[in-house]
């Protein structure tokens, strides 16, 4: 993969992999304590991930895990905005906001976010237009259904073809809305309305999506597809997740959304050292 990604005022050269460190600010992700403690803890974790080699911090205030229930825009804003502001005071590291809600996109970007990471691929009314106006980078992810029910009966005739077609269409919709092509990232959405078999087919055929010649992001870290293969709980999926990430890199992915930044950075350093692709 050659080319680059424009993020804020920065240009990322895609010959070096990009690590997006996950910062969940959902209540279940943090131990109790007041809002102030939580903001402090979140900032400390973000700074740790930056030190470990993260290129982007991805902040999310609504869980999109299978079975998760939606939260209101007010709730989401209350969780993410203080954290974005606080990280901005400490660091210039690019921030992405993991949201599907136009109000949250707008407010998060005003608070300092540089990228919108949307598991709904900007399908909410006005989301495309807002991202075009804000001139932010966007990540368009494929999902079948919605988080609460998406794992009930995922169905595809050809998962690779359907995901690729969807991403191609959403990419075109972005261009039509006036979003710059060099600010668009695609993501097949591992675990989002997909059986284990669907996830494995996508991983195996990731090169088909890379044929669109756009930067590809994958998020596999700690997910249940690893749990199903390894038969291990969420805190014992690191090595399997690293293997999946290296496979994805070999097939052309260049951005990786991970919990464990330091080991991921090491694994990707090896991948990046092979300049043959
Ligand atoms: C992702 C992603 C995301 N994943 C992008 N954003 C989550 N761009 C949140 C499981 O099966 O892959 N790409 N934002 C987290 N969502 C899930 C989904 C977490 C499935 C866990 C599972 O365990």
């Amino acid at each position: 993969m050659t080319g680059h990604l424009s993020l804020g005022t920065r240009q990322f050269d895609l010959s070096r992999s990009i690590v997006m460190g996950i910062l969940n600010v959902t209540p279940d992700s943090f131990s109790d304590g007041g809002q102030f403690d939580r903001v402090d803890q979140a900032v400390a974790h973000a700074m740790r991930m930056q030190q470990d080699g993260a290129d982007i911090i991805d902040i999310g205030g609504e869980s999109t895990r299978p079975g998760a229930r939606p939260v209101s825009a007010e709730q989401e804003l209350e969780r993410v905005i203080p954290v974005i502001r606080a990280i901005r005071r400490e660091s210039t590291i690019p921030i992405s906001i993991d949201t599907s809600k136009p109000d949250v996109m707008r407010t998060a970007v005003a608070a300092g976010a540089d990228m919108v990471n949307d598991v709904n691929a900007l399908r909410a009314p006005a989301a495309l237009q807002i991202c075009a106006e804000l001139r932010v980078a966007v990540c368009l992810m494929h999902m079948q259904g919605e988080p609460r029910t998406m794992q009930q009966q995922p169905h595809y005739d050809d998962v690779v073809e359907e995901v690729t077609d969807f991403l191609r269409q959403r990419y075109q919709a972005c261009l039509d809305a006036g979003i710059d092509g060099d600010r668009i990232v695609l993501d097949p959405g591992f675990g989002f309305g997909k059986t284990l078999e669907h996830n494995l087919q996508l991983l195996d055929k990731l090169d088909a999506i890379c044929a669109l010649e756009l930067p590809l992001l994958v998020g596999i870290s700690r997910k249940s597809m690893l749990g199903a293969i390894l038969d291990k709980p969420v805190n014992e999926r690191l090595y399997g997740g690293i293997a999946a990430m290296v496979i994805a890199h070999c097939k052309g992915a260049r951005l990786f959304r991970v919990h464990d930044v330091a080991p991921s950075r090491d694994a990707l350093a090896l991948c990046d050292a092979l300049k043959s692709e």
Side-chain angles (χ1 to χ4, degrees), residues 11-174:
Q11 297 261 358
F12 282 94
D13 174 1
L14 295 171
S15 62
R16 179 175 176 275
S17 295
I18 296 177
V19 172
M20 177 186 264
I22 300 170
L23 187 63
N24 286 319
V25 287
T26 48
D28 50 322
S29 314
F30 281 89
S31 52
D32 48 7
Q35 173 72 4
F36 185 74
D37 278 3
R38 283 182 33 195
V39 172
D40 263 12
Q41 281 181 45
V43 174
H45 188 56
M47 293 306 96
R48 175 67 201 264
M49 290 196 288
Q50 178 173 24
Q51 285 210 319
D52 285 347
D55 301 294
I56 304 172
I57 304 295
D58 186 48
I59 303 180
E62 176 178 61
S63 174
T64 53
R65 250 174 281 163
R69 287 175 184 278
V71 301
S72 68
E74 292 69 34
Q75 272 274 359
E76 228 182 295
L77 287 166
E78 250 174 58
R79 293 173 182 176
V80 300
I81 300 304
V83 176
I84 294 172
R85 289 216 181 95
I87 292 173
R88 263 296 150 271
R89 282 195 290 270
E90 302 276 322
S91 164
T92 59
I93 189 165
I95 293 173
S96 88
I97 173 69
D98 187 343
T99 190
S100 298
K101 296 190 185 73
D103 282 354
V104 178
M105 294 172 188
R106 208 191 279 286
T107 313
V109 172
D114 309 281
M115 177 174 193
V116 169
N117 170 26
D118 184 2
V119 300
N120 207 31
L122 305 180
R123 284 181 289 174
L128 282 168
Q129 195 191 327
I130 286 171
C131 289
E133 274 169 27
L134 296 172
R135 300 204 79 222
V136 280
V138 298
C139 178
L140 308 171
M141 198 198 78
H142 175 273
M143 166 167 64
Q144 186 178 84
E146 45 155 18
R148 197 173 59 80
T149 52
M150 65 190 176
Q151 290 308 106
Q152 285 173 11
Q153 303 221 308
H155 174 83
Y156 302 85
D157 291 322
D158 181 333
V159 67
V160 176
E161 189 175 300
E162 285 171 55
V163 169
T164 308
D165 285 351
F166 172 84
L167 293 175
R168 188 190 293 111
Q169 283 168 26
R170 295 311 299 162
Y171 170 65
Q172 189 59 50
C174 283

